[in-house]
Every structure is written in structure tokens, then in C-alpha cells.
Amino acid sequence: IADRGNRKNIIAISLALFSAMTVLCGTATTFAQMLFYRMGVGVGEAGTSPPSHSIISDLYGPESRSSAMSIFALGAPIGIFLGFAIGGLVAHLWGWRTAFWVAGLPGIAMSLLTYFFVKEPRRGLSEKPKLHTEIPPKFITVLVLLWHKRSAFHLIMGATIVLFSGYSFTTWASSFLIRSYNIGLTSAGIALATTIGIGGAIGAISSGFLADKLRKRDVRWPCWMICIAITLSIPFSLTGYAVNSLYFSLFLLMVPAIVASFYFGPTMAMLHGVVVIEARAITSAITLFIINLIALGLGPAFTGYLSDSLEDYFAHNSLRYALMIISIMPLWALYHFYSASKHISKDTNFPLKY
């Protein structure tokens, strides 16, 4: 719909939906109600990103698109920071239901501001005319294109593997700190707000501006840059999980927190560069679908299973070792991002064939 209709309205409606469903989570009295409301949150959240990415690519050309995407990505670490810091405190003082209301009500107000004040840009505003087809391609056409364009395939796979580890850490980090360092839930929330929030913000914003600068030298540099960042983060992850000092652990784990959001801006910018304008929203949607299905859907679950399997050997430290094993997985992503660099030059701005 975003590739064919008004993207600003889709964002406003989706924002209102997931904010309202978040508020309703605070009223749930049965598991079935909570499940339904949480599904509503997921549906609404999923509707905001693809049209947002498409609008950003209309407003910013290839030379500054990674930076723009990275600024947009700041919403995630800032949200995580506020969620851990404020959400945990509100839940502690007034209960978990109030925390849902505090999280959801501002979004309803923001949806109204988006609907009335955000302008829908002309498609292809920052692009060369030859990239503008005016006929949105079919879903299956875009899917086949992303499969056959090797740069797109490897970029999506690389991002999925990085987030398989990243989502596992985000989901289990609180339990890891509580079990391994014997701290309370509120203290864990504040610690993670600092580590994931600040680290994620640094990674998101720095990667975009660095990618745009390096891209001027060679369009392959954003891929190489991500490879370097992943390689450097692995020793910090392993050591961060292994040490016995809480503060030293948090300091070390800030590096993988930076890398977990380092990929986003450059990857989305490169993906939008290999498809025509009218296929950008669905390209983002396909990418996020794969990431959510595999990385978010399987990553935390597999980590939990691994922790349970190791419990007979490591007792309460089983989660520590499970996370250490998962932290090695981004090495696999190196292959995909490096492979993407071999194809990105010829794939970029290649017309979509029907």
C-alpha cells in the first residue's frame, strides 16, 4: 500500500494502532486478551517502518541516505533507553499496567501530529528521472529481484544474522545481569538503559555519517565498514559475558550494542539503491519480515533453549555461556556483507525488469 498510496497517512494510522494497543495491554485480565493486544502492537509497529524508509529515500539522495536512515534508526535505542529507564521505574512505583499506559498514550498524540503536519513528498524527489517507473511492481517481482540481486540477498542475510545475536542479547540481558551479578530488576533496567540505549545511539548515528563519507571513495566501503565493526566487536562480547565485574561487563558490552545498530542505516540505504523508487517500501517490508521472522522469532528462543541445555553443567551461569556462544554468530555475517560488496557496484540503480 505504501508504494501505491499516501505513506504519511499509513504511518499515522499504524502509529495510532500500536499506541492504542499498547494502552489496552494495561487493561488485559486474561492471557488471550494480552496476546491479542500484543499482536495488535506488532501489526501497528510493522506498518510504520516501510513507508518511513520510502519517504526518507525520496527526501535524501544516495550521497546522504545512510545518514538520514541512521538518524531515523535513533528511535530504537532512544526508545530502549526510555523503556528500560522509565518503564522499569514506573512499573516499580505504580505497577506494570501503568507502565503500558505511559508508553502508549504519547504515541496517540504523535499520530495526530503526523497526520496533520507531516507532508507527503513527491516520489523520486531526490532521484534521477530514469529510476522513476510510475508503475509499482508486483510483490512477487520485487521478491524475485531481491533474490537474484546478490548484493540485496547478502545484505538481508547479513543483517538478519547480526540481529539474531542482537535480539538475543536485548531479550536476555536483564536476566543475565540479575543471575550473574545478583542485582535487582530496577538496577538491571538502569544498567541496560545506559548500555543498550547509549551504545545503540552511537552505533546508529556514527555508521550512517561514516558510510556516506566512505561511499564517496568507493561504493563498497559501507559493506567493508560493517565487516570491520563486526570483527572488532566479537572479543568485546566474549569478554563482556565472561568477566565477574558488573561495571566492566557493561563497559565491554557497549561495543556489541554499538555494532547491533551499526548495520541499519548503510544497509537500508544500499537496498533502496538497488530497486526502483516504487519498490522501496515493499523492499523494506520484505527485509524486516525476514529479520523479524528469523532473528527476533528464533534468536531469543534458541538462546533460551541453549541456556536450559547448559544448566546441568553451569547452573545459574548457563545463560552467560549461551550468550557467549550466540555472540560468535556475527562472524557468519562477515561472509554476507563482504559478498555484498562484490556485487553492490553493478547492482546499484539497476532498473527493475517486468
Side-chain angles (χ1 to χ4, degrees), residues 158-193:
T160 301
I161 295 166
V162 167
L163 283 180
F164 191 97
S165 176
Y167 281 134
S168 297
F169 170 67
T170 304
T171 302
W172 290 107
S174 181
S175 297
F176 163 68
L177 295 181
I178 292 170
R179 295 181 194 180
S180 299
Y181 301 106
N182 195 29
I183 62 175
L185 183 60
T186 303
S187 298
I190 295 173
L192 291 175

Side-chain angles (χ1 to χ4, degrees), residues 83-299:
F84 277 123
I86 299 177
L89 181 62
V90 170
H92 176 73
L93 295 176
W94 296 291
W96 62 270
R97 295 184 185 276
T98 305
F100 276 116
W101 301 336
V102 170
L105 289 174
I108 296 176
M110 286 301 300
S111 69
L112 295 174
L113 292 174
T114 301
Y115 182 81
F116 288 108
F117 295 103
V118 173
K119 295 182 180 180
E120 174 78 4
R122 176 177 62 82
R123 293 185 191 270
L125 187 65
S126 65
E127 298 289 347
K128 298 176 182 178
K130 68 176 182 179
L131 297 177
H132 198 17
T133 67
E134 297 183 356
I135 304 174
K138 296 179 180 179
F139 168 78
I140 190 64
T141 305
V142 181
L143 194 62
V144 171
L145 174 85
L146 293 176
W147 174 261
H148 287 289
K149 285 209 170 187
R150 305 318 295 165
S151 62
F153 170 79
H154 286 297
L155 286 171
I156 294 172
M157 286 299 299
T160 301
I161 295 166
V162 167
L163 283 180
F164 191 97
S165 176
Y167 281 134
S168 297
F169 170 67
T170 304
T171 302
W172 290 107
S174 181
S175 297
F176 163 68
L177 295 181
I178 292 170
R179 295 181 194 180
S180 299
Y181 301 106
N182 195 29
I183 62 175
L185 183 60
T186 303
S187 298
I190 295 173
L192 291 175
T194 304
T195 303
I196 301 177
I198 296 178
I202 293 172
I205 198 68
S206 62
S207 65
F209 286 96
L210 187 58
D212 282 337
K213 186 173 182 178
L214 293 174
R215 187 183 183 278
K216 297 176 182 177
R217 300 181 181 181
D218 194 312
V219 294
R220 296 172 293 179
W221 252 113
C223 294
W224 297 339
M225 177 192 76
I226 296 173
C227 289
I228 293 171
I230 291 173
T231 303
L232 293 176
S233 74
I234 301 298
F236 284 89
S237 295
L238 292 173
T239 310
Y241 291 128
V243 298
N244 292 320
S245 169
L246 170 63
Y247 296 107
F248 190 35
S249 174
L250 292 172
F251 172 76
L252 292 169
L253 291 176
M254 187 171 287
V255 175
I258 291 173
V259 175
S261 59
F262 200 80
Y263 82 96
F264 179 84
T267 298
M268 295 310 303
M270 286 186 284
L271 283 172
H272 280 207
V274 303
V275 297
V276 292
I277 293 164
E278 291 78 9
R280 283 176 175 160
I282 193 61
T283 296
S284 289
I286 291 171
T287 302
L288 294 174
F289 175 80
I290 295 172
I291 287 174
N292 286 329
L293 189 67
I294 299 175
L296 181 57
L298 299 180

Side-chain angles (χ1 to χ4, degrees), residues 47-84:
T48 60
S49 291
S52 299
H53 296 170
S54 179
I55 288 177
I56 290 170
S57 287
D58 280 347
L59 296 175
Y60 298 90
E63 70 284 348
S64 59
R65 190 170 292 150
S66 291
S67 301
M69 288 287 188
S70 296
I71 293 173
F72 173 81
L74 278 175
I78 291 174
I80 290 173
F81 179 87
L82 296 176
F84 277 123

